[in-house]
Amino acid sequence: MTIITDITSMQKKSDSLRLAAKRIVFVPTMGFFHEGHLSLMSLGKKLGDHQVVSIFVNPAQFGPHEDFWRYPRAFERDRMMAESAGVDTLFCPEAISMYAPGHETYAYLEHLPRHLCGLLRPNHFQGVATVIVKLFNIVKPHTAVFGEKDYQQLAVIRKMSRDLNFGIDIVSGHIVRESDGLAMSSRNLYLSGEERCSAIVLSEALAAAQNDVERGEKNARPLISRAKDIILSRPHTRVDYISLCDPETLEDVDEVGRKTLMALAVYVGKTRLIDNAILG
Ligand code: AMP
């Protein structure tokens, strides 16, 4: 596995791979790998000839009071895990080279960021969209793989790729969970023992909603209200949002249709966790 930190070297490597007619698959990450990341790498491996994984904790997607500085970082551990996963190139740029002094160009979407996580995190998706455009221009992939865990991020990237004609296949991977249902996340590390026990309510609330829908409940209100009761029944929990919405536009719906997204953001202690499921 080759490790590249320099942007121009990565671009040259991608140019030569493309000249040799190799298909480049790209998995962008912020590192501190878990099984969720590894599942995307294993999916990516099947989709091309050369897999690039990036590790970049992107300052532009963190709000001023968010966890940028304490976001977990473990390069040596990640390097070993990526190598065992069969990654070909690990791209780890420095923040100063990604956002050189004077950087003033950002990617911006009109509607999708006005829902779900975008309400509490107003510049988050501008930061995500911008870094993904930059990484795509550097890595020049044919295919890029993202997790459904960050559903709104996936929707934003799909929409941006379509709107701006990137010509890159955007592929998604299922949410990987701990054995008790908690969606894997680098931020789970922040949870205390008691909070970790409470954190399973996100997946429990989604499972209860799925169950209710299967038993014939279609109305959004009782589904959301039951999810809220389940979440608040555990200590240390506070709901940021519970939404039933259209999986493409993320607009709220009153009734569960053929395919409806239930998305949750819940504080467990000070840690904000997200999860989602397609109902119906
Ligand atoms: P992150 O390092 O948290 O920015 O995540 C990098 C990629 O891994 C994103 O596309 C995430 O959606 C995806 N991801 C994170 N957690 C999971 C999970 N539990 N299952 C599947 N994919 C995940």
Side-chain angles (χ1 to χ4, degrees), residues 28-31 34 36-37 39-40 71 145-150 153 173-176 183-186:
T29 82
M30 297 206 298
H34 50 66
H37 297 111
S39 75
L40 300 186
Y71 194 85
V145 187
F146 295 88
E148 287 159 13
K149 158 83 174 15
D150 299 275
Q153 167 174 289
H174 294 308
I175 301 177
V176 176
M184 292 201 181
S185 162
S186 308

Side-chain angles (χ1 to χ4, degrees), residues 35-80:
E35 292 292 329
H37 297 111
L38 296 182
S39 75
L40 300 186
M41 294 176 205
S42 116
L43 174 61
K45 224 155 157 65
K46 298 181 199 134
L47 301 175
D49 307 305
H50 189 102
Q51 178 158 235
V52 180
V53 171
S54 66
I55 299 178
F56 181 61
V57 183
N58 173 33
Q61 71 188 64
F62 287 79
H65 305 295
E66 292 183 354
D67 55 342
F68 174 72
W69 293 107
R70 72 181 190 119
Y71 194 85
R73 292 156 169 94
F75 178 73
E76 200 40 41
R77 176 177 165 274
D78 286 351
R79 186 192 64 73
M80 288 191 297

Side-chain angles (χ1 to χ4, degrees), residues 6 8 19 29 35 50 98 135 157 164 173 186 208 211 220 249 268:
D6 177 64
T8 312
L19 263 178
T29 82
E35 292 292 329
H50 189 102
M98 287 291 277
L135 289 168
I157 292 160
L164 300 181
S186 308
N211 212 15
T249 64
V268 181

Side-chain angles (χ1 to χ4, degrees), residues 18 136-137 140-144 161 165-171:
R18 279 183 165 258
F136 280 1
N137 283 331
K140 309 180 192 204
H142 296 84
T143 302
S161 306
N165 311 97
F166 285 175
I168 295 171
D169 288 334
I170 306 296
V171 174

Side-chain angles (χ1 to χ4, degrees), residues 165-199:
N165 311 97
F166 285 175
I168 295 171
D169 288 334
I170 306 296
V171 174
S172 71
H174 294 308
I175 301 177
V176 176
R177 297 175 180 282
E178 304 283 356
S179 54
D180 63 0
L182 175 66
M184 292 201 181
S185 162
S186 308
R187 287 191 169 102
N188 292 348
L189 180 83
Y190 299 153
L191 300 168
S192 70
E194 257 188 37
E195 289 167 355
R196 172 65 186 80
C197 291
S198 291

